[in-house]
């Protein structure tokens, strides 16, 4: 998935986001368009900023933010070998699975299903016998095209011969299936039942301190694709909500909780830096050091916390088999003055400039 501040959209939109961010950085404007993939739409336009809207969530990107996401989305585009083909069919290799998408629907197919699909297609001419398809996968061939559908959820994709040839090429690049381990999660802070993510913890501490000192504060709402936090005026003083829990704090309580949050951040050696609207948060954990950027969460493991290898650019080799990434393995790439770190297992990608790299090592 792609995290773009408050929206989270499918990997199938990668080609369109790459095109739009590049156009915006080159010309300062973009051609307004609505694109569809997997039965959902992405609206792209500009009004001074680059505006993206997906599933009732909207984000506005200035040049700094567009530069950031142009780099991180392009890195995913290269690493997962995303390609847009005829009829707006998008393909990508994601670990041991092949992702297929077109405007109306999308599918995820494992190695076994892909192999059976290819044999079934070849079997039309009698060159091979049709393979035993998984019980949930149905195939209908006609006129050199394949209609494949997943009976578990009704999703389907129509493929032509050019798509099949591309799938044949990608088959050898699919990784061997591995038992998925639960990915580590960055620490959070519980405030009377409200979950405070580190992305917003510093902002909340500042707001509580302001309220405790002046009895005034500036309301705020911060949203990432998978969490939110808001502070608003309330009868009892200040109301804090994560959209699941809602609590009220008095002036006295605000001072206490500001101190608790500050203490927790200090124990985590947490700090944050801002580059335009890109807020980067660093925090220590038992496994290593976390780098957080609005829903993109990357763990630099303790044994790999040295920055020695981060200056080397990634050399992708799409024509050969990749070794399966181990838990915590990061791919890196230099993009101008930004260093990119991508977690293959989660798809999270962060971009750090020189000052942020320096802070990472502190």
């Amino acid at each position: 998935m792609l995290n773009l501040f408050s929206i989270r959209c499918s990997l199938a939109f990668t080609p369109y986001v790459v095109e739009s961010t590049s156009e915006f950085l080159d010309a300062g404007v973009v051609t307004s368009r609505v694109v569809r993939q997997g039965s959902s739409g992405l609206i792209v336009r500009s009004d001074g900023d680059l505006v993206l809207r997906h599933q009732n969530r909207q984000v506005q990107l200035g040049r700094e933010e567009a530069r950031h996401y142009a780099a991180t989305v392009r890195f995913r585009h290269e690493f997962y070998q995303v390609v847009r083909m005829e009829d707006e069919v998008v393909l990508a290799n994601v670990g041991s699975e092949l992702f297929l998408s077109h405007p109306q629907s999308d599918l995820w197919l494992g190695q076994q299903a892909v192999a059976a699909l290819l044999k079934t297609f070849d079997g039309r001419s009698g060159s091979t016998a049709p393979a035993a398809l998984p019980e949930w996968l149905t195939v209908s061939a006609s006129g050199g095209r394949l209609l494949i559908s997943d009976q578990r959820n009704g999703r389907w994709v129509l493929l032509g011969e050019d798509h099949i040839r591309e799938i044949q090429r990608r088959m050898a690049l699919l990784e061997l299936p591995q038992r998925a381990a639960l990915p580590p999660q960055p620490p959070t802070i519980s405030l009377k039942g409200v979950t405070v993510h580190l992305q917003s913890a510093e902002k909340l501490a500042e707001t509580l301190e302001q309220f405790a000192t002046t009895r005034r504060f500036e309301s705020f709402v911060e949203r990432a694709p998978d969490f939110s936090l808001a502070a608003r005026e309330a009868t009892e003083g200040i109301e804090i909500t994560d959209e699941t829990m809602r609590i009220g704090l008095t002036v006295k309580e605000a001072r206490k909780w500001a101190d608790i949050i500050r203490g927790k951040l200090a124990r985590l050696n947490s700090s944050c830096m801002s580059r335009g609207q890109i807020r980067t948060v660093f925090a220590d954990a038992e496994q290593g050091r976390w780098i957080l950027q609005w829903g993109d969460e990357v763990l630099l493991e303790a044994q790999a916390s040295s920055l020695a290898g981060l200056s080397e650019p990634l050399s992708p080799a799409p024509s050969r088999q990749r070794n399966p990434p181990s838990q915590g393995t990061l791919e890196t790439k230099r993009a101008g003055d930004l260093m990119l770190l991508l977690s293959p297992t989660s798809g999270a990608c962060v971009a750090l400039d020189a000052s942020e790299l320096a802070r990472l090592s502190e």
Side-chain angles (χ1 to χ4, degrees):
M1 303 296 282
L2 302 182
N3 287 328
L4 304 167
F5 278 160
S6 62
I7 68 174
R8 190 169 186 257
C9 60
S10 165
L11 194 65
F13 290 106
T14 299
Y16 309 98
V17 175
V18 168
E19 290 174 2
S20 297
T21 52
S22 297
E23 183 183 1
F24 179 75
L25 292 173
D26 289 341
V29 295
V30 296
T31 303
S32 297
R33 60 196 303 197
V34 179
V35 294
R36 291 185 64 83
Q37 281 294 330
S39 76
S40 67
L42 177 70
I43 301 173
V44 182
R45 61 182 179 85
S46 56
D47 62 359
D49 291 335
L50 174 61
V51 182
L52 304 174
R53 185 174 181 82
H54 176 68
Q55 293 183 337
N56 299 319
R57 287 191 171 186
Q58 180 171 296
V59 62
Q60 291 190 233
L61 308 178
R63 289 194 63 84
E64 181 62 45
E65 296 79 29
R67 186 174 72 97
H68 175 94
Y69 284 111
T72 57
V73 174
R74 186 177 294 277
F75 192 16
R76 292 186 182 97
H77 186 276
E78 296 169 358
F79 184 81
Y80 295 115
Q81 302 177 53
V82 183
V83 62
R84 185 178 71 196
M85 301 184 68
E86 186 179 359
D87 298 328
E88 297 301 307
V89 173
V90 175
L91 296 91
N93 280 45
V94 183
S96 63
E97 293 186 289
L98 179 69
F99 176 57
L100 304 175
S101 180
H102 74 136
Q104 283 74 44
S105 193
D106 56 32
L107 282 172
W108 289 88
L109 301 177
Q111 276 186 318
Q112 181 181 1
V114 173
L117 175 67
L118 294 175
K119 288 182 179 179
T120 299
F121 185 80
D122 291 341
R124 294 176 307 124
S125 60
S127 58
T128 60
L133 292 166
E135 61 179 12
W136 52 267
L137 184 65
T138 62
V139 176
S140 175
S142 176
R145 300 175 74 84
L146 278 184
L147 175 64
I148 60 175
S149 60
D150 186 336
Q151 298 305 299
R152 299 170 299 184
N153 51 34
R155 295 181 177 181
W156 58 275
V157 177
L158 182 63
L159 303 175
E161 293 190 20
D162 56 338
H163 305 129
I164 294 295
R165 286 194 296 270
E166 176 64 15
I167 292 173
Q168 288 172 333
R169 184 189 72 80
R170 290 169 175 267
M171 177 64 189
L173 305 177
L174 292 176
E175 297 167 359
L176 295 175
Q178 290 189 321
R179 185 176 181 179
L182 290 176
Q185 298 294 320
T188 58
I189 300 172
S190 179
L191 195 168
K192 296 175 69 173
V194 170
T195 300
V196 181
H197 290 255
L198 298 186
Q199 188 76 57
S200 301
E202 179 73 24
K203 175 70 173 178
L204 179 59
E206 291 175 356
T207 300
L208 293 177
E209 288 167 344
Q210 181 185 21
F211 177 59
T213 302
T214 67
R215 296 179 180 268
R216 297 177 179 272
F217 67 95
E218 185 175 344
S219 299
F220 72 85
V221 178
E222 293 197 340
R223 290 189 176 91
D226 295 320
F227 62 85
S228 69
L229 188 73
R232 305 184 180 93
E233 292 185 4
T235 303
E236 56 268 61
I238 183 171
E239 180 186 87
I240 311 297
T241 178
D242 60 6
E243 293 189 350
T244 300
M245 288 287 294
R246 191 182 308 270
I247 59 135
L249 299 178
T250 63
V251 169
K252 183 177 180 180
E253 289 175 314
R255 170 61 65 188
K256 180 187 77 171
W257 280 104
D259 291 343
I260 291 173
I261 293 171
R262 290 291 187 195
K264 178 69 170 180
L265 294 177
R267 287 191 294 274
L268 293 172
N269 188 28
S270 179
S271 61
C272 68
M273 303 179 69
S274 294
R275 172 169 37 90
Q277 297 181 70
I278 304 298
R279 182 191 302 158
T280 304
V281 176
F282 304 100
D284 289 342
E286 188 174 324
Q287 311 100 316
R289 189 149 175 81
W290 282 98
I291 310 166
L292 313 175
Q293 288 179 336
W294 292 114
D296 281 303
E297 302 171 343
V298 168
L299 175 65
L300 187 62
E301 289 190 337
Q303 62 268 30
S305 59
S306 169
L307 303 183
L310 296 187
S311 60
E312 296 297 323
L314 174 73
S315 298
S319 62
R320 64 178 175 86
Q321 175 75 41
R322 288 186 183 273
N323 291 325
S326 61
Q327 183 69 43
T329 298
L330 298 180
E331 296 284 348
T332 65
K333 177 185 178 181
R334 176 72 67 177
D337 64 343
L338 295 175
M339 175 57 65
L340 308 179
L341 290 82
L342 168 69
S343 171
T345 52
S346 69
C349 185
V350 299
L352 305 176
D353 65 10
S355 60
E356 291 161 346
L357 276 172
R359 178 68 63 85
L360 175 62
S361 62
E362 293 177 358

